[in-house]
Amino acid sequence: MGQEHWTAERLRFALWVAGAVTGFGGVGALLSAVGAPETVAWPAAVGAAVAGGWGGHQLMRRYLARR
């Protein structure tokens, strides 16, 4: 049981990080491509990182609820 819990926690953290990095990179690249000013691009990218991390967390919660 201990090893399974450890693996689930690692997966949860990996999904959180992957969601945050994807959100930050995607929005940052999009806004950079359209030439948005930095005062808009950075806060939007950080907000997307928070939303992406939250999405990764929700995905893990759904996975654990099905088990």
Side-chain angles (χ1 to χ4, degrees):
M1 179 76 174
Q3 181 68 22
E4 184 177 317
H5 178 69
W6 184 82
T7 304
E9 285 299 311
R10 295 279 299 223
L11 178 61
R12 182 190 62 79
F13 182 73
L15 283 173
W16 180 77
V17 169
V21 168
T22 302
F24 184 83
V27 169
L30 177 70
L31 290 176
S32 179
V34 298
E38 288 184 17
T39 56
V40 173
W42 278 101
V46 170
V50 170
W54 179 81
H57 177 71
Q58 292 299 320
L59 184 65
M60 187 63 188
R61 285 184 65 193
R62 288 181 187 171
Y63 169 73
L64 290 176
R66 288 184 183 181
R67 293 182 69 193

